[in-house]
């Protein structure tokens, strides 16, 4: 996803955009920070780096964290939470170093004001992140708050929904353009369809939610209001033809509610139909889907029997379509009996997945 995120950040006029492990670094003023939070469909969080240090012990981390003027960034009334991520860190307990950073923040407040902020692990106002490498560490303030894939439109989970930012990335990787037909024949709670419609209509993914930076003292509320007003981008009105289907009526109920919450239901036609009975809604277009996978849904044997049938349907009914299947099941290309023209490795949380592209040409079923 990093190349897509880089592209997004460049289009938002971020500076020094550069892929780093697990993310993309950039610089810029508050305007860029606000815009990235409001408009990025790919990022999970936008973190503001406020300190860097060398360390070899928990105490070094404490001293570095205490050196930061926390009361300058947020008021003592705000609740806090500290998160630590480490790679090759020599420290024995991440829990202990997390406590030490929390102590450093609180001690700094107590020295300055005689009071300290409360900790709220579930719904903190301010999140402090620390990243520890072997010898170096960095401290960040989270400008997003809740992760950015929480867009505020999800009324229903459905079964095993994709994260919104992963779904948006998958749609981007298909190269689908508004004006082309788009079909998700195993749509579940319609995450891919909502993200595609929001993208096509230029809806800001963060339009319906709040952000961590609103709780920081340094935030410029007038500038934020100005950026927030521009929730939709001026984009040419192209006809939108989105279709979704699923066998499960509960999934379709969830899909309907989510599409309505996101305000995009008028562009999406939903039907209850088995993908194996599915006809193409247009002569050509883009199909994207995320079949059940894993212990909770569909056993390995069931899926092994399902893929060849799915392959037959694609060949028989979807000539002229580009089909994209997102799955963690690496047996799929062999069992579906179609040659993928592209395979993009992606992570779904800790699960290694692929987005397989199949270009279906008429007559390919003859082989
Ligand atoms: C992993 S979920 C899709 C989740 C969806 N991408 C989302 O983000 O909400 C797979 C979906 O496939 C549906 N499904 C399973 N077998 C199907 C079939 N033969 N035809 C159509 N849908 C099917 C399930 O009901 C389920 O909703």
């Amino acid at each position: 996803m990093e190349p897509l995120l880089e592209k997004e950040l460049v289009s938002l006029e971020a500076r020094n955009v550069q892929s780093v492990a697990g993310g993309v670094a950039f610089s810029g003023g508050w305007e860029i920070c606000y815009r990235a939070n409001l408009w990025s469909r790919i990022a999970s969080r936008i973190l503001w780096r406020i300190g860097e240090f060398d360390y070899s012990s928990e105490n070094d981390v404490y001293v570095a964290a205490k050196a930061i003027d926390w009361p300058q960034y947020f008021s003592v009334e705000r609740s806090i939470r500290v998160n630590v991520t480490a790679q090759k860190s020599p420290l024995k307990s991440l829990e202990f170093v997390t406590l030490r950073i929390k102590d450093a923040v609180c001690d700094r407040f107590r020295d300055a004001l005689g009071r300290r902020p409360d900790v709220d692990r579930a719904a903190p106002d301010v999140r402090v992140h620390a990243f520890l490498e072997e010898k170096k560490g960095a401290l960040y303030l989270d400008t997003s708050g809740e992760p950015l894939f929480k867009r505020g439109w999800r009324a229903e989970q459905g079964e095993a929904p994709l994260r919104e930012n992963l779904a948006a990335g998958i749609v981007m990787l298909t190269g689908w353009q508004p004006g082309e037909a788009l079909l998700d024949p195993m749509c579940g709670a319609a995450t891919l369809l909502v993200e595609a419609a929001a993208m096509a209509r230029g809806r800001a993914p963060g339009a319906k939610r709040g952000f961590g930076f609103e709780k920081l003292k340094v935030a410029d509320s007038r500038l934020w209001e100005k950026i927030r007003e521009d929730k939709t981008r001026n984009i040419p009105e192209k006809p939108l033809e989105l279709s979704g289907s699923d066998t499960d009526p509960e999934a379709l109920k969830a899909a309907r509610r989510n599409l309505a919450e996101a305000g995009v239901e008028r562009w999406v036609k939903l039907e209850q139909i088995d993908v194996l009975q599915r006809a193409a809604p247009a002569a050509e277009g883009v199909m994207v889907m995320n079949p059940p996978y894993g212990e909770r849904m569909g056993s390995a044997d069931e899926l092994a029997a399902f893929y060849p049938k799915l392959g037959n349907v694609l060949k028989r009914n979807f000539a002229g379509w580009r089909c994209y299947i997102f799955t963690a099941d690496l047996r799929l290309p062999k069992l579906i009996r179609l040659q993928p023209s592209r395979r993009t490795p992606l992570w779904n949380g800790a699960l290694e997945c692929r987005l397989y592209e199949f270009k279906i040409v008429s007559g390919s079923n003859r082989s």
Side-chain angles (χ1 to χ4, degrees):
M1 289 290 152
E2 286 91 338
L4 294 177
L5 180 53
E6 268 190 57
K7 226 164 112 187
E8 262 192 337
L9 290 166
V10 167
S11 79
L12 295 168
E13 293 168 26
R15 294 200 307 267
N16 307 321
V17 178
Q18 199 185 0
S19 267
V20 293
V24 177
F26 67 98
S27 47
W30 281 110
E31 190 168 347
I32 303 298
C33 173
Y34 298 160
R35 263 200 246 135
N37 272 294
L38 182 63
W39 281 101
S40 175
R41 298 182 198 278
I42 302 291
S44 296
R45 302 180 170 284
I46 313 284
L47 303 179
W48 174 25
R49 191 163 62 210
I50 55 167
E52 285 176 286
F53 53 88
D54 293 321
Y55 80 102
S56 60
S57 67
E58 282 89 357
N59 196 53
D60 293 343
V61 180
Y62 173 87
V63 170
K66 194 160 177 223
I68 290 177
D69 183 5
W70 299 99
Q72 169 204 319
Y73 293 123
F74 58 93
S75 119
V76 69
E77 274 79 34
R78 299 295 190 193
S79 59
I80 60 165
R81 174 184 170 142
V82 177
N83 281 75
V84 177
T85 312
Q87 247 176 10
K88 297 188 187 151
S89 167
L91 301 187
K92 292 217 173 64
S93 160
L94 285 193
E95 228 167 285
F96 182 57
V97 77
T98 306
L99 275 179
R100 294 303 285 149
I101 295 170
K102 186 267 296 168
D103 289 344
V105 178
C106 290
D107 290 350
R108 182 80 198 217
F109 268 98
R110 209 174 296 139
D111 289 354
L113 307 169
R115 292 165 59 209
R116 50 154 283 188
D118 289 334
V119 170
D120 182 345
R121 292 184 56 77
D125 295 322
V126 174
R127 290 161 209 251
V128 173
H129 293 258
F131 283 83
L132 301 177
E133 295 175 0
E134 197 179 350
K135 292 179 181 157
K136 286 187 180 302
L139 284 157
Y140 297 80
L141 276 171
D142 188 335
T143 71
S144 302
E146 287 283 292
L148 295 177
F149 59 78
K150 295 197 177 172
R151 317 275 208 226
W153 57 254
R154 193 180 284 286
E156 301 276 347
Q157 283 293 324
E159 219 167 329
L162 291 170
R163 278 193 179 166
E164 291 77 348
N165 54 349
L166 176 59
I170 289 172
V171 173
M172 288 178 196
L173 286 169
T174 68
W176 171 74
Q177 294 297 321
E180 279 185 296
L182 182 75
L183 165 68
D184 179 351
M186 300 183 103
C187 70
T191 317
L192 289 156
L193 295 168
V194 170
E195 289 298 318
M199 227 183 283
R201 289 272 70 93
R203 301 271 172 88
K208 295 183 90 165
R209 54 163 285 159
F211 297 96
F213 60 73
E214 294 172 272
K215 309 264 174 76
L216 299 179
K217 268 188 189 170
V218 281
D220 177 344
S221 53
R222 235 195 260 145
L223 176 63
W224 169 225
E225 276 313 311
K226 206 176 110 217
I227 287 170
R228 198 187 177 98
E229 272 165 29
D230 176 29
K231 275 187 219 154
T232 46
R233 299 223 143 165
N234 277 339
I235 44 156
E237 282 269 329
K238 288 223 176 118
L240 268 192
E241 288 182 57
L242 279 68
S243 318
S245 46
D246 201 290
T247 40
D248 178 4
E250 289 304 312
L252 289 167
K253 225 197 268 172
R256 247 172 233 119
R257 274 202 66 186
N258 286 335
L259 289 161
E261 281 293 323
V264 296
E265 75 276 29
R266 80 199 85 152
W267 295 296
V268 184
K269 186 173 170 202
L270 289 179
E271 285 170 276
Q272 185 178 349
I273 183 162
D274 192 314
V275 62
L276 300 180
Q277 312 294 326
R278 181 79 234 201
E284 50 189 41
V286 175
M287 177 197 280
V288 61
M289 68 167 123
N290 157 223
Y293 175 73
E295 280 153 27
R296 282 200 297 146
M297 312 177 79
S299 71
D301 289 349
E302 277 166 17
L303 287 171
F306 168 72
Y307 297 140
K309 294 184 198 154
L310 178 64
N312 287 341
V313 170
L314 299 191
K315 284 183 273 187
R316 205 169 49 231
N317 298 351
F318 288 88
W321 281 62
R322 302 198 315 276
C323 299
Y324 296 83
I325 306 183
F326 178 73
T327 181
D329 194 340
L330 306 184
R331 303 171 306 166
L332 181 126
K334 186 154 177 247
L335 293 170
I336 201 169
R337 298 191 199 126
L338 288 167
Q339 186 60 36
S341 40
R342 192 151 50 110
R343 7 178 139 216
T344 310
L346 294 169
W347 291 92
N348 185 4
L351 204 57
E352 189 181 346
C353 298
R354 297 278 183 280
L355 181 67
Y356 294 106
E357 176 189 76
F358 301 99
K359 288 184 174 155
I360 315 292
V361 288
S362 51
S364 67
N365 54 339
R366 272 186 235 128
S367 63

